[in-house]
Amino acid sequence: MDWTRHYATGAGYRYWPNEELVRFVGARHFDSVLEAGCGNGGNLWFLACHATKTVGVDSCRAALDAAELYVVRPQRLVPHDIEVHQADIRQLPFQAATFDVVVDCMTSQHLPWAEHAALYAEYRRVLKPGGWLWLYHLDCQTE
C-alpha cells in the first residue's frame, strides 16, 4: 500500500485511541511502550499518559510529520517523553529488551501472513522479559 498517498487523502488519520487498547491499559502504568505503525499518533498520546517513555514507529514520513505536530511537539497534552522514528517494523532500530509493551494496532495485518512469524520474533526481541505484546488485528489479509 502507498501510505504516503493514503495519508495525503486524510483517510489514515486518527485522533482518539483504539477502544480495546484503552480497555487493555486500564489504570496500568508502564516504563516504556512502543507502538509499531503509530501513524499520526492517535494512540500515542493516550499511551504516553500511561508510560514514562512512549515511542512510535512508522514507515510513512507523512504520518510521522503529522504525529510530530499532533502529539510530540504540544507536550502540554502529555507531560511524558514521546518520540517517533521512521523505520520498518520488521527491523526495529532498538536494542533487545527495551520495552515493557509493544502495541500493534492494525499494523501487522498489512503484511503477508508469511511475514508474521518473523515480525512477532522482532517484537519479542525488543520486549523486556515478561513484557506484553498487544495486537489488534482485523482479518483482511490478501496474499
Side-chain angles (χ1 to χ4, degrees):
M1 176 174 247
D2 182 346
W3 291 106
T4 300
R5 181 174 292 160
H6 179 71
Y7 278 101
T9 68
Y13 290 98
R14 287 183 52 109
Y15 297 100
W16 57 91
N18 177 280
E19 290 178 16
E20 294 302 322
L21 180 60
V22 171
R23 285 185 189 81
F24 163 73
V25 170
R28 295 179 177 104
H29 184 83
F30 306 103
D31 181 44
S32 56
V33 175
L34 169 68
E35 183 178 12
C38 66
N40 70 298
N43 289 327
L44 282 180
W45 67 265
F46 169 75
L47 291 168
C49 291
H50 295 273
T52 303
K53 181 174 183 98
T54 306
V55 178
V57 171
D58 205 291
S59 63
C60 179
R61 184 73 250 166
L64 293 174
D65 289 345
E68 286 277 348
L69 291 172
Y70 177 57
V71 179
V72 178
R73 288 187 198 155
Q75 290 292 314
R76 69 186 184 282
L77 294 175
V78 181
H80 301 293
D81 187 15
I82 305 172
E83 58 186 62
V84 293
H85 299 269
Q86 186 172 11
D88 186 325
I89 61 172
R90 295 166 290 194
Q91 296 177 335
L92 294 167
F94 307 107
Q95 294 182 354
T98 300
F99 299 99
D100 296 314
V101 180
V102 172
V103 170
D104 177 322
C105 186
M106 297 189 300
T107 299
S108 59
Q109 71 186 27
H110 297 287
L111 295 176
W113 285 114
E115 295 184 30
H116 283 219
L119 173 65
Y120 299 148
E122 181 65 354
Y123 288 166
R124 184 175 183 171
R125 182 186 70 77
V126 299
L127 276 170
K128 293 177 182 176
W132 293 353
L133 171 60
W134 185 86
L135 291 171
Y136 185 83
H137 199 283
L138 301 176
D139 189 17
C140 61
Q141 272 293 321
T142 59
E143 291 296 322

